[in-house]
């Protein structure tokens, strides 16, 4: 498999809900007018608490500082796994479960904190720029690693020596965070960028003025598969703790349960198939009991 370190240097921000009006103009520009910005990586996630933005340096310049905007101190790099295999079949777990064993768990064992951003097409792993050398050292045996330079992948030479890095050690026991599963039902969908202008007005209304998505735009596949959310954390998690993603993605991967994972500024969220939510809760509760014992 190949691991690609993308060119983006990403900042992670929290926008307080009362301050959304102040950022409507730059967010519309970033979302709907990409030709007017040099931003190449942008994600906006709305939760009941706030809006989480993951945006590259060019996009970050579009956002004026204010009392409503909280910026994480670290700069993050974006990793993407490419297996060059066929698309997932009906018996293969979709989403973050595909990379849980090979990327997330080894990084957690080496005390590397990660953020996850699952999309319809792929999964992105965000690591702090300061941790990149440890990431390469940890994953070099499993992956051919490339770093994008000017849009072209440049291989990073594999070094079988330890390079002075410490061996993985068992750190303090991971914190057992509570999990919640609200009754909301979600759809995972994608949009062709060429169709964006046709529904821009609807999306602007949903993002900035409404809280209800039109029912006729929810599904993009004939299967009509719906997903439920599992939220991790009772209090804001912070960015220094390691292994949060692994605690959730690992057990789901072992049980071959599909999942999409979204990290936000304060909490982590996993989307799992609605028809398997009871099995998911059971798997995660068993894992928490094992960690707490």
């Amino acid at each position: 498999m190949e691991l690609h370190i993308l060119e983006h240097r990403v900042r992670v921000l929290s926008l307080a809900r009362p301050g959304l009006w102040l950022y409507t103009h730059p967010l519309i520009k970033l979302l709907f007018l990409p030709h007017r910005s040099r931003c190449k990586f942008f994600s906006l996630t709305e939760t009941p608490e706030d809006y989480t933005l993951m945006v590259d340096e060019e996009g970050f310049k579009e956002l004026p500082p204010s009392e409503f905007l909280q910026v994480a101190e670290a700069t993050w790099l974006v990793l993407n796994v490419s297996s060059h295999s066929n698309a997932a079949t009906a018996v293969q777990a979709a989403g973050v479960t595909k990379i849980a064993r090979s990327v997330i768990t080894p990084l957690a064992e080496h005390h590397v904190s990660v953020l996850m951003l699952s999309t319809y097409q792929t999964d992105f792993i965000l690591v702090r720029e300061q941790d990149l050398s440890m990431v390469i050292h940890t994953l070099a045996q499993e992956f051919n690693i490339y770093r994008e330079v000017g849009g072209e992948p440049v291989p990073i030479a594999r070094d079988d020596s330890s390079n002075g890095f410490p061996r993985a050690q068992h750190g303090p026991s991971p914190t057992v965070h509570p999990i919640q599963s609200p009754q909301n039902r979600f759809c995972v969908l994608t949009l062709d960028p060429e169709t964006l202008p046709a529904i821009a007005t609807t999306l602007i209304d949903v993002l900035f003025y409404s809280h209800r998505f039109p029912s006729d735009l929810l599904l993009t596949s004939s299967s009509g598969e719906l997903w439920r959310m599992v939220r991790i954390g009772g209090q804001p998690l912070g960015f220094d703790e390691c292994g949060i993603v692994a605690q959730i993605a690992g057990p789901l991967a072992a049980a071959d349960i599909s999942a999409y994972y979204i990290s936000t500024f304060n909490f982590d969220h996993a989307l799992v198939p609605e028809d398997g939510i009871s099995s998911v809760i059971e798997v995660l509760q068993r894992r928490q009991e094992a960690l707490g014992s």
Side-chain angles (χ1 to χ4, degrees):
M1 291 192 294
E2 295 179 357
L3 180 72
H4 290 256
I5 305 167
L6 307 187
E7 290 184 283
H8 317 296
R9 299 179 74 247
V10 172
R11 304 303 301 270
V12 179
L13 311 93
S14 170
L15 173 58
R17 300 183 71 88
L20 181 61
W21 64 271
L22 184 61
Y23 291 88
T24 300
H25 178 268
L27 289 177
I28 288 177
K29 180 179 179 181
L30 292 170
L31 281 165
F32 302 107
L33 302 171
H35 61 284
R36 294 186 177 271
S37 171
R38 298 175 62 184
C39 179
K40 301 300 180 184
F41 189 95
F42 176 81
S43 170
L44 173 65
T45 303
E46 179 184 2
T47 66
E49 295 79 22
D50 63 358
Y51 296 85
T52 293
L53 291 89
M54 297 182 183
V55 61
D56 65 19
E57 291 178 310
E58 292 298 329
F60 184 56
K61 295 175 184 177
E62 304 276 357
L63 303 172
S66 79
E67 61 180 313
F68 300 107
L69 198 66
Q70 184 179 357
V71 185
E73 182 177 349
T75 299
W76 299 76
L77 299 179
V78 183
L79 313 181
N80 183 236
V81 175
S82 174
S83 63
H84 295 300
S85 62
N86 294 330
T89 65
V91 297
Q92 293 175 318
V96 73
T97 48
K98 296 179 293 184
I99 58 174
R101 293 187 184 94
S102 57
V103 178
I104 298 170
T105 300
L107 291 181
E109 291 172 350
H110 283 79
H111 311 297
V112 176
S113 180
V114 305
L115 301 177
M116 279 296 310
L117 183 62
S118 293
T119 71
Y120 189 93
Q121 304 290 354
T122 189
D123 297 289
F124 297 107
I125 310 108
L126 279 71
V127 298
R128 287 181 289 200
E129 191 170 35
Q130 67 196 48
D131 293 330
L132 181 60
S133 57
M134 177 60 80
V135 170
I136 294 172
H137 169 72
T138 303
L139 301 178
Q141 298 299 318
E142 182 74 22
F143 294 91
N144 296 317
I145 302 179
Y146 297 83
R147 185 159 194 169
E148 288 193 359
V149 179
E152 296 295 328
V154 176
I156 293 178
R158 177 180 298 183
D159 188 347
D160 293 329
S161 68
S162 66
N163 288 327
F165 288 107
R167 293 179 178 271
Q169 300 177 355
H170 293 291
S173 299
T175 302
V176 179
H177 293 285
I179 58 174
Q180 307 168 39
S181 182
Q183 295 300 312
N184 307 62
R185 305 162 80 204
F186 296 85
C187 297
V188 180
L189 52 89
T190 186
L191 291 172
D192 185 332
E194 294 184 358
T195 67
L196 189 58
I199 63 168
T201 302
T202 299
L203 291 179
I204 290 172
D205 179 59
V206 171
L207 287 170
F208 299 106
Y209 303 105
S210 175
H211 298 284
R212 179 175 298 177
F213 205 90
S215 59
D216 59 339
L217 292 180
L218 280 176
L219 300 179
T220 59
S221 68
S222 58
S223 64
E225 186 173 28
L226 293 172
W227 300 73
R228 288 276 299 278
M229 181 184 72
V230 177
R231 190 173 93 157
I232 301 92
Q235 298 293 327
L237 300 173
F239 298 102
D240 293 326
E241 185 179 346
C242 304
I244 299 174
V245 179
Q247 288 182 41
I248 303 301
L252 296 184
D256 290 325
I257 297 174
S258 297
Y260 292 91
Y261 202 99
I262 302 174
S263 298
T264 64
F265 199 92
N266 291 311
F267 300 100
D268 281 17
H269 309 78
L271 293 178
V272 298
E274 182 181 37
D275 57 8
I277 185 64
S278 58
S279 298
V280 169
I281 298 298
E282 182 179 352
V283 166
L284 295 180
Q285 286 178 340
R286 286 203 304 265
R287 173 63 172 172
Q288 289 189 321
E289 291 170 0
L291 290 173
S293 61

